[in-house]
Amino acid sequence: MKKYISIFALAGASLFSSCSKFMDREPLSQVAPDQYFNNDNELKFYINSLYSAFPSAEGVYNEDIDNVVKQSLSDMVTGRRTVPLNGGNWTWNELRKINFFLDNYNRVMPEAQAARFAGAAKFFRAYFYFDKVQRFGDVPWYSHTIQQEDSLMLQKARDPRRVVVDSILADLDYAIANMDLATFPVSAEMISKYTALALKSRVCLFEGTFRKYHPEMGFTTADWRPLLSKAAQASDELMKSGVYQLYTSTPEKAYLELFASIAPVKQEIILAKTFSNELSVWHNVNYYTITSSYGKPGLDKQLVNSYLMKDGTRFTDIPRYDTITFYAETQNRDPRLSQTIRTPGYTRIGATARLVPDFGASVTGYQLIKFVTDMSFDSFNRSINSMPVFRYAEVLLNYAEAMAELDSITQPNIDRSIKLLRDRVGMPNLNMAAANTNIDPYMNSQYTGITSPNKGLILEIRRERRIELVMESYRWNDLMRWKSGSSNVRQFKGMYFPGAGQYDLDRNGTVDVYIYTGAKPDPQIKGIQYFKLGTDIDLENGATGGNVIINRSTTKTFNEERDYLQPIPIQERQLNKNLTQNPKWVDGL
């Protein structure tokens, strides 16, 4: 196996040892920066320490919401969140590190020489604040390190999100202009000006659509149109650069190979988090998908239904599509389905044995295979394939969505974005006119509030985004910006079974699942999964069959006036009397 070690793996090991004389000193106010920030290497080492801001591997693949269903549901999904006493993602340590650098990076080096490193730091500040805006909306913007005696800044009120987002974009524009390719070359291991462009595309799409679909928060057309224009422009600039393209091999393998790769596939991956046996830096994705230890994750039926047929027609247009059993429903579908879940004929990478879905590892039966590598990585916490933080496919989707939401989109815009994603898997192109004249009722029922003349097209772009980016943890923020939080309230479902009986899931002539009533069959045959109806497996209509039902007794709610923003922790508001609480969150203060 090819050895692969990058900055992300090294960040957890030895990369920063040479700057530990600086980084290990606490508090930062006691450091003499004019004795450290003397040359490129010292500035670069400090910047390297900021990479810890990116999500862990679990922060990428461990998605739930309404894409991936598990035995137990998070409080975000059930609507049971309460105002926390402390924590609650209201943390500022990373910002202090960033601002300390920006306050001191040019004390020794000339500004012209040091500006490229300031660009990198401002990228990280933009990344930090974007996360805060997504969670809380208005947050206090701090552009300098806060000193302990600075009571005015310590008691600062929340700045309007308009101000914060403007500041984020100013930081990103500075990063794009100043991060030279000599110091920050194109690499899937480190940030560059292209990573900043990708983040700008992401920020502007999120904030533009959030404002468009949340007029109740006081946003007008003048608030969102410029942001969506900037999202399209940033995406377009990155697309025209020619630096990135989608990874391709064969339609049946390309998508799966992209996520199983140990080294990030540099032609598509703009930035990845990487792992290493040599440095003992691992993650747990194989174990997560093949055991019962992490809630038995599986795709939800609604998402499975959303995959088109391979010829581009809609699965949900087939009569009685909701009673089609597993083998039939997985035939002739968008090839990404069989590269995301186990379907008939599935084999592990590097193996030949054909495997059917294991209900012991997947509560819906739609068992995940995206990110799953060969069996040598199956032990607990031993996976080392890279995890995407930014990839080119997202940029293409951002471009198409921004143009559609602006009502400026044309078929050529689709041809240079969505078509590329479809081409990779051998799917027909998305036709703008057809999408708008023949709106999919199944998709239309999932998303309310779209009033655009491009409604049908916007729905199809949302379908494409959900399918392409599943298991990469975009879904919650997408639902929040589209004002579709109530999507989580519906009943989550799995495979369809017409009732008790024996089922050959892959039609190879052997029974794979035996759903029984009464006493368990005896003797039991090895290789068959046995489930007692109503006890081990819950079908929607009981003895008369239906879809597997998950968490039937779990009540889910979504408060449209409250849940699009997270609450500010109680202790933070006690310490800073100027911090207001987000609407409808009751904390007793």
Side-chain angles (χ1 to χ4, degrees), residues 66 68 105 111 173 243 267 321 427 448 475 531 550 575:
D66 68 339
V68 179
Y105 74 96
E111 174 66 24
D173 287 340
V243 174
Q267 69 191 69
Y321 72 87
M427 290 279 291
T448 60
R475 182 63 173 169
F531 303 103
I550 297 90
L575 291 168

Side-chain angles (χ1 to χ4, degrees), residues 251-252 299-318 320-344 366 422 424-428 440 442-443 446 463 467 495:
E252 295 77 23
L299 283 200
D300 177 62
K301 177 67 172 173
Q302 185 199 71
L303 175 52
V304 173
N305 286 346
S306 298
Y307 284 76
L308 297 171
M309 303 300 292
K310 193 171 184 179
D311 63 4
T313 58
R314 303 187 292 234
F315 172 75
T316 50
D317 285 347
I318 298 173
R320 294 179 59 81
Y321 72 87
D322 53 343
T323 61
I324 298 176
T325 53
F326 177 69
Y327 181 89
E329 75 173 334
T330 56
Q331 303 304 298
N332 300 313
R333 300 291 292 277
D334 179 336
R336 284 172 292 189
L337 180 61
S338 63
Q339 297 173 73
T340 303
I341 62 170
R342 289 188 182 186
T343 55
Y366 298 121
R422 297 280 186 91
R424 168 165 44 198
V425 293
M427 290 279 291
D440 183 1
Y442 191 78
M443 292 295 297
Q446 297 175 36
R463 180 205 306 271
I467 287 168
M495 277 187 203

Side-chain angles (χ1 to χ4, degrees), residues 228-525:
L228 291 179
S229 294
K230 289 178 181 179
Q233 290 163 6
S235 303
D236 180 64
E237 184 176 347
L238 209 158
M239 292 158 68
K240 286 179 177 176
S241 73
V243 174
Y244 299 99
Q245 58 184 330
L246 296 183
Y247 169 74
T248 58
S249 59
T250 66
E252 295 77 23
K253 293 182 179 180
Y255 186 77
L256 184 68
E257 290 171 347
L258 177 67
F259 301 104
S261 179
I262 304 302
V265 180
K266 295 181 180 179
Q267 69 191 69
E268 177 168 347
I269 303 300
I270 300 170
L271 186 72
K273 193 151 192 170
T274 56
F275 302 83
S276 167
N277 278 328
E278 289 77 12
L279 294 174
S280 301
V281 182
W282 301 289
H283 61 82
N284 207 32
V285 72
N286 276 22
Y287 195 82
Y288 165 80
T289 61
I290 64 171
T291 72
S292 61
S293 300
Y294 290 88
K296 303 181 181 179
L299 283 200
D300 177 62
K301 177 67 172 173
Q302 185 199 71
L303 175 52
V304 173
N305 286 346
S306 298
Y307 284 76
L308 297 171
M309 303 300 292
K310 193 171 184 179
D311 63 4
T313 58
R314 303 187 292 234
F315 172 75
T316 50
D317 285 347
I318 298 173
R320 294 179 59 81
Y321 72 87
D322 53 343
T323 61
I324 298 176
T325 53
F326 177 69
Y327 181 89
E329 75 173 334
T330 56
Q331 303 304 298
N332 300 313
R333 300 291 292 277
D334 179 336
R336 284 172 292 189
L337 180 61
S338 63
Q339 297 173 73
T340 303
I341 62 170
R342 289 188 182 186
T343 55
Y346 168 71
T347 60
R348 291 286 300 272
I349 292 172
T352 58
R354 296 189 174 189
L355 303 174
V356 297
D358 178 5
F359 277 85
S362 177
V363 71
T364 66
Y366 298 121
Q367 187 174 357
L368 305 172
I369 64 169
K370 184 173 176 177
F371 292 115
V372 174
T373 53
D374 70 69
M375 289 183 284
S376 65
F377 300 103
D378 283 357
S379 297
F380 175 77
N381 202 37
R382 282 298 180 269
S383 292
I384 60 170
N385 49 315
S386 58
M387 288 285 149
V389 179
F390 293 93
R391 66 183 179 101
Y392 188 53
E394 182 203 350
V395 174
L396 298 177
L397 289 162
N398 292 351
Y399 173 76
E401 185 179 344
M403 294 295 288
E405 292 286 2
L406 286 165
D407 291 325
S408 300
I409 196 165
T410 63
Q411 187 63 45
N413 299 138
I414 297 170
D415 295 346
R416 61 191 293 255
S417 55
I418 301 300
K419 182 179 185 296
L420 304 182
L421 298 168
R422 297 280 186 91
D423 286 348
R424 168 165 44 198
V425 293
M427 290 279 291
N429 191 17
L430 171 58
N431 183 282
M432 176 177 171
N436 283 328
T437 56
N438 184 19
I439 295 175
D440 183 1
Y442 191 78
M443 292 295 297
N444 193 35
S445 67
Q446 297 175 36
Y447 304 105
T448 60
I450 303 174
T451 58
S452 165
N454 286 307
K455 180 177 184 175
L457 181 62
I458 290 171
L459 289 171
E460 292 303 321
I461 292 170
R462 291 185 183 186
R463 180 205 306 271
E464 194 73 22
R465 183 178 182 89
R466 188 180 185 189
I467 287 168
E468 178 68 27
L469 301 179
V470 65
M471 259 186 97
E472 296 177 57
S473 292
Y474 291 87
R475 182 63 173 169
W476 176 262
N477 286 329
D478 284 345
L479 292 176
M480 295 302 99
R481 64 190 179 88
W482 294 332
K483 203 180 180 185
S484 297
S486 294
S487 174
N488 289 310
V489 176
R490 62 184 170 81
Q491 175 64 62
F492 295 152
K493 301 178 183 180
M495 277 187 203
Y496 175 83
F497 292 98
Q502 301 179 49
Y503 296 95
D504 178 1
L505 297 181
D506 57 358
R507 295 193 184 174
N508 69 343
T510 61
V511 174
D512 300 305
V513 171
Y514 193 155
I515 300 175
Y516 64 92
T517 58
K520 190 170 187 177
D522 187 28
Q524 291 138 42
I525 301 172

Side-chain angles (χ1 to χ4, degrees), residues 53-74:
F54 294 122
S56 66
E58 290 75 13
V60 177
Y61 70 72
N62 191 16
E63 180 181 47
D64 44 30
I65 315 305
D66 68 339
N67 276 348
V68 179
V69 181
K70 301 174 185 176
Q71 283 178 307
S72 60
L73 302 177
S74 70

Side-chain angles (χ1 to χ4, degrees), residues 194-211:
Y194 298 112
T195 322
L197 275 169
L199 179 55
K200 184 176 180 180
S201 166
R202 184 185 291 181
V203 169
C204 291
L205 181 70
F206 176 89
E207 188 64 10
T209 48
F210 189 95
R211 295 183 188 184

Side-chain angles (χ1 to χ4, degrees), residues 4-15:
Y4 190 78
I5 304 174
S6 81
I7 188 169
F8 280 110
L10 289 165
S14 61
L15 179 64

